Amino acid sequence: MTSFPPHLVREDLRDFTGYSSARTSHRGAPARVWLNANEAASASAVDAPGALRRYPDPQPAPLVGALAGLYGVPTEQVVVGRGSDEAIELLVRALCRPGADGIVVAPPTFGMYAVSARLHGVPVHQVPQIDHGTRFAVDAAEVARTTENTSSRLVFLASPGNPTGATVPATETARLAGALADTAVVVLDEAYQEFADGPSALALLPDHPNLVVLRTLSKAHALAGARVGVAIGHPDLVGVLRRVQAPYPVPEPVARLALAALEPGVLAGTRSRVAATLAGRDRLRDVLAGTDLVRTAYEGQGNFVLVRSDDPDELLARLARTGIIVRDMRHLPGLADAVRITVGTAAELAELATALHPETPRNR
Ligand SMILES: *Cc1c(COP(=O)(O)O)cnc(C)c1O
C-alpha cells in the first residue's frame, strides 16, 4: 500500500501520542492482578456479572475484527467510535488547524460536517450540488478546484447523500481523490450504502491513501441508538484518528451488542430489512406520485425520498394532523420547498397514503 502523506495531518499533532490510558499503557509480563486504573474492587449491584467494573478496551478487538470482516478491510484500517458523527469530528480535529485549514462540503448535505468544523473554528467552503430536476449530482471537478483554491484539508461527500439521495460514481471519487492526493483527505460518508445499487468506495482504498470511507450501524443495521460507526482509511491516518479520540469511546455494553449484531443470523435479518426498505421506497414513490401536494420526488438511493411541493405548508400540515412527522428541509439552500420522508413500515406507508389521498379508498 502506498504511504499516507504525513503533511496532511495537523503539524502540531504529528508527534502527539494522545492520552495514555491504563488499558493501553500496560505492556510486558502477563498480568494477574489489575491495580492500575483506580477501578472499583467489586461489582455494582446493577452489574451482577461484573463486566462493567473495568474500563473497556478503547478499540474492542473482537468488534473491530468483526467490523473489518463486514467491510472486507484489514483491522488496522478501522477506527470505531460513537457513530459516524464521532468519525467526522475526529477527522476535522486531526487534519484541520482551527482558524486556518478549511473543509469543503457539497450542499444540500448532512449538517454534521459544518457543525463539527464550526465547533472547531474551521472554515467551511461550499460547492453546491447540481440539480438535474429529478436527481442531484455532486460537481466533483468544482469540488477539486475549490479545495485547491482554498487550501482545504478535508472534503466531505455523502454517497448516497442526505437529503438528496444522490450517489457519487466510483470513477468520480477515484478522480477526485487522485487530483487531491497531496492536498486533502476525501471522505465518502456511506451511511446509506446498503440501500444503494452502486459499489462502495471501499474498493478504491488500496489505490488512494487520502480516501476515507465512513460506515455506520445506525441505518440499515437499525442500531441508531447504540451509536456505532467507523472510519476506514489508511493505517497511518487511522492511527492518528485513534490518538485524537476520547480515551474509552465504545462502552462495553455497546461493544457487546454491536458484536452480536454482526453475527450471520442477525446480518441475514439486516439484509431482509434492507430488501423491505427498498420495496417500501418504491411504494412511497408511488404514493407520492399520486398527490398534487408533491411536485417532484427525487430519485434518491437512501431509505428516504426528498420531495418538492408547491404548498409545503399544506403538505406538512396535512401529515401533522394525523400525527405523521416528516423532515422539513426548507432551511437548506436550494431546498426552499422541500421535505424529506423516511421509508417506514408498510402500515406507516398506508397511513401516509391515507393522509395524502383522503378522498380515495385505501385499497385502490
Ligand atoms: C444518518 C447519517 C449518518 C449516521 O450518523 P451516525 O452518527 O453513525 O448515527 C452519517 N452520515 C449521514 C449523511 C447520515 O445521514
Side-chain angles (χ1 to χ4, degrees):
M1 182 180 282
T2 35
S3 59
F4 180 79
H7 67 268
L8 293 185
V9 175
R10 255 171 68 181
E11 191 177 5
D12 53 321
L13 289 184
R14 270 170 222 163
D15 54 6
F16 178 69
T17 52
Y19 173 68
S20 176
S21 69
R23 274 289 154 272
T24 46
S25 57
H26 166 74
R27 297 271 186 287
R32 281 184 312 111
V33 180
W34 293 88
L35 301 175
N36 66 339
N38 296 351
E39 294 151 339
S42 62
S44 161
V46 300
D47 172 36
L52 303 182
R53 182 165 69 90
R54 303 287 191 188
Y55 281 101
D57 184 345
Q59 291 288 292
L63 177 58
V64 172
L67 287 163
L70 177 67
Y71 300 123
V73 296
T75 53
E76 65 267 24
Q77 289 195 250
V78 176
V79 54
V80 58
R82 291 158 287 192
S84 329
D85 288 341
E86 184 177 25
I88 293 163
E89 175 102 29
L90 296 179
L91 285 158
V92 173
R93 213 185 281 167
L95 302 177
C96 302
R97 288 168 304 166
D101 308 311
I103 70 162
V104 174
V105 298
T109 190
F110 189 46
M112 280 311 294
Y113 315 132
V115 167
S116 283
R118 190 156 166 216
L119 287 172
H120 194 61
V122 162
V124 179
H125 305 287
Q126 307 198 337
V127 178
Q129 290 183 42
I130 300 164
D131 186 353
H132 291 289
T134 54
R135 63 175 186 90
F136 276 90
V138 169
D139 187 347
E142 190 53 39
V143 167
R145 262 192 300 278
T146 299
T147 307
E148 273 164 358
N149 293 343
T150 58
S151 304
S152 290
R153 275 290 161 78
L154 201 44
V155 174
F156 283 106
L157 301 178
S159 180
N162 172 13
T164 64
T167 53
V168 182
T171 49
E172 287 197 19
T173 303
R175 204 177 314 132
L176 182 64
L180 300 175
D182 292 319
T183 321
V185 167
V186 175
V187 181
L188 257 271
D189 180 346
E190 295 191 333
Y192 302 98
Q193 175 58 30
E194 290 88 346
F195 307 109
D197 52 23
S200 163
L202 285 167
L204 305 174
L205 287 175
D207 293 329
H208 297 281
N210 63 326
L211 182 65
V212 169
V213 175
L214 306 185
R215 302 294 295 256
T216 179
L217 300 189
S218 292
K219 304 288 158 59
H221 295 269
L223 291 175
R227 312 304 305 129
V228 181
V230 295
I232 304 170
H234 192 283
D236 295 353
L237 177 59
V238 163
V240 174
L241 297 179
R242 288 179 180 178
R243 289 198 290 278
V244 303
Q245 196 173 23
Y248 306 104
V250 188
E252 197 277 342
V254 170
R256 205 163 359 119
L257 179 128
L259 187 60
L262 302 181
E263 281 169 12
V266 184
L267 288 179
T270 297
R271 284 190 293 275
S272 343
R273 179 182 310 106
V274 168
T277 303
L278 297 183
R281 188 173 71 195
D282 289 345
R283 167 84 185 117
L284 174 58
R285 297 180 61 85
D286 287 346
V287 167
L288 297 170
T291 169
D292 291 344
L293 279 173
V294 169
R295 185 173 76 252
T296 307
Y298 281 86
E299 298 161 8
Q301 301 215 5
N303 63 344
F304 53 85
V305 175
L306 179 71
V307 306
R308 288 190 190 273
S309 173
D310 292 329
D311 192 352
D313 282 325
E314 172 58 17
L315 174 61
L316 290 163
R318 176 95 61 94
L319 295 176
R321 271 200 293 279
T322 51
I324 299 172
I325 306 302
V326 296
R327 188 75 177 258
D328 188 348
M329 285 292 157
R330 292 179 290 174
H331 59 286
L332 289 188
L335 293 183
D337 55 359
V339 164
R340 189 194 67 199
I341 306 174
T342 305
V343 176
T345 62
E348 288 166 341
L349 277 167
E351 287 207 40
L352 185 89
T354 308
L356 289 175
H357 309 277
E359 66 289 350
T360 39
R362 257 177 81 157
N363 299 314
R364 279 184 302 160

